Amino acid sequence: MATIATWGWYVPSLFPGYSILSQNNLSSSGNGLSVDPAGYVEFDMIDANNDGVISDNDSFDGTYTAIGEYVSGPNLSLIPQEIALYTGSTVVLKGVSYTVDMEVTLFTNGTFGVRIMDYDLPAGHHKDVTSITLGTWNGVEYGGIVLSAVDQMFICFVQGTGIETPNGRVAVETLSSGDTVVTADGGPATVRWTAQATTCGMGKNAPILFRAHSLGNVRDVYVSPHHRVLVKGAEIEVLFGVPEVLVAARDLVNGSTILRAPRRVVTYVHFACDKHEIVNADGMLTETLLPGTQAMAMMSASDAARLVATFPALRRGWTAYGPAARMCLKSTEAKLLCRMGEDVRLSA
């Protein structure tokens, strides 16, 4: 079962003219509909049968949502009923209007959500969006959400990040299988697998920027939101019983030295060694790939197949790869740490 993390805007009220008896609620009745930007939400798409599509649940095209497939948000889970595209939609971001295509998903309870389907937007955060207006229904009945077209979460370095090797700093995207990197625990380690993905750098995909010297880094470092970095502090051992922990970058955002840095396009790069390692990324200590269930679900089928071919033990389950190099904080634990005002810093 694949789980794809994405984002959009959710409208808890009924779609205009919605009727539980109709199989064609998404129509020109939605043309020009205003959507409240405050409805921004991050959610998961659950592809229970791993066919790459979450089918809608109407009878128009003969397909139905597979058992166990749904869209899961922070407070509720919903099943798609109909899917349509509204071309020429508008989004106002930082006072500037942009024309985009919007995918609208009507759920079986009559509520609906919208997602940007083309990414012709400048760098910006969803909080900068002040207006969303649907354009014109394109007259097509879509049978499902194709997950390959959905922006996914990655656990990676951004292209250009410098990784310390026995021969000095090298850009992460130049690493290949057989190369050697310096680790914090066991000296040099051999790179066994690498992967890259170029995608939209907006929303949940927006990189996290660690400004120079914010966590030991000698220059600005960009990583994906779920990529974990090593931190220590006076309260960490008291709270968690260990001197150092790994924390997802998104959970350290403070709006000044560590912040979201959206961009239209971003290339994420990752690599794996024989075990989970801590490496030096331009002075900041951070993780190599730990192939857990979430990380595996985020990969393309070809990258996941290469990873399993490289580490055949993964066929028995991701735990066969070995443990994390450090305790990995859950988001709630990381937020507790930040609320306490802990001054996280690079572990020596």
Side-chain angles (χ1 to χ4, degrees):
M1 178 176 70
T3 300
I4 303 299
T6 187
W7 58 279
W9 290 272
Y10 175 64
V11 182
S13 56
L14 298 180
F15 192 80
Y18 171 76
S19 169
I20 193 172
L21 301 177
S22 175
Q23 300 293 303
N24 294 284
N25 287 281
L26 295 183
S27 63
S28 58
S29 63
N31 292 357
L33 180 66
S34 177
V35 175
D36 185 357
Y40 175 87
V41 65
E42 298 179 351
F43 58 93
D44 294 329
M45 293 183 175
I46 314 300
D47 182 16
N49 60 4
N50 288 300
D51 66 351
V53 178
I54 298 181
S55 298
D56 61 21
N57 206 39
D58 62 19
S59 60
F60 183 82
D61 48 21
T63 62
Y64 295 91
T65 310
I67 295 174
E69 290 192 341
Y70 54 92
V71 174
S72 178
N75 301 312
L76 74 170
S77 296
L78 300 166
I79 297 176
Q81 177 75 17
E82 302 173 34
I83 299 163
L85 193 68
Y86 287 76
T87 60
S89 301
T90 57
V91 172
V92 177
L93 188 150
K94 294 183 178 180
V96 180
S97 180
Y98 300 91
T99 301
V100 298
D101 291 339
M102 284 278 187
E103 181 189 76
V104 177
T105 300
L106 178 73
F107 300 107
T108 52
N109 67 352
T111 63
F112 63 101
V114 303
R115 295 192 300 118
I116 296 176
M117 290 303 293
D118 83 59
Y119 305 107
D120 190 21
L121 286 173
H125 193 270
H126 72 87
K127 292 180 180 178
D128 297 323
V129 175
T130 56
S131 175
I132 303 169
T133 306
L134 295 186
T136 303
W137 175 57
N138 73 346
V140 178
E141 170 74 14
Y142 292 92
I145 303 170
V146 179
L147 297 186
S148 62
V150 176
D151 52 304
Q152 301 181 33
M153 291 303 299
F154 300 89
I155 306 176
C156 308
F157 301 95
V158 170
Q159 182 181 25
T161 304
I163 304 298
E164 188 68 23
T165 76
N167 297 317
R169 176 187 184 273
V170 302
V172 64
E173 67 271 19
T174 67
L175 290 174
S176 58
S177 180
D179 288 344
T180 302
V181 295
V182 173
T183 70
D185 297 325
T190 302
V191 175
R192 302 297 184 188
W193 172 94
T194 65
Q196 298 188 27
T198 299
T199 187
C200 166
M202 306 286 286
K204 286 187 73 173
N205 280 1
I208 303 299
L209 164 62
F210 288 80
R211 293 197 185 279
H213 311 297
S214 61
L215 206 62
N217 44 311
V218 296
R219 55 178 60 85
D220 289 353
V221 171
Y222 296 83
V223 298
S224 65
H226 280 60
H227 191 100
R228 290 175 289 234
V229 299
L230 190 72
V231 299
K232 75 172 185 180
E235 299 298 325
I236 288 177
E237 189 155 15
V238 173
L239 287 172
F240 307 111
V242 292
E244 301 170 341
V245 292
L246 285 166
V247 183
R250 67 174 187 172
D251 294 327
L252 294 174
V253 169
N254 58 23
S256 57
T257 60
I258 305 171
L259 60 159
R260 291 180 178 271
R263 59 179 72 177
R264 288 183 58 189
V265 177
V266 61
T267 297
Y268 285 125
V269 185
H270 219 331
F271 63 94
C273 300
D274 288 317
K275 62 185 180 69
H276 194 221
E277 300 280 8
I278 304 297
V279 295
N280 185 311
D282 283 326
M284 185 172 72
L285 294 184
T286 182
E287 66 174 339
T288 61
L289 179 73
L290 178 64
T293 52
Q294 185 180 43
M296 295 286 284
M298 292 173 186
M299 293 180 195
S300 67
S302 59
D303 285 340
R306 287 193 302 106
L307 185 67
V308 172
T310 303
F311 302 105
L314 288 174
R315 295 190 179 96
R316 303 196 305 270
W318 70 269
T319 55
Y321 180 79
R326 299 290 191 278
M327 177 183 178
C328 300
L329 294 193
K330 299 176 182 178
S331 182
T332 53
E333 294 171 329
K335 290 176 181 177
L336 171 63
L337 188 64
C338 292
R339 281 199 301 270
M340 292 182 66
E342 175 58 20
D343 181 21
V344 294
R345 54 190 180 274
L346 182 70
S347 175

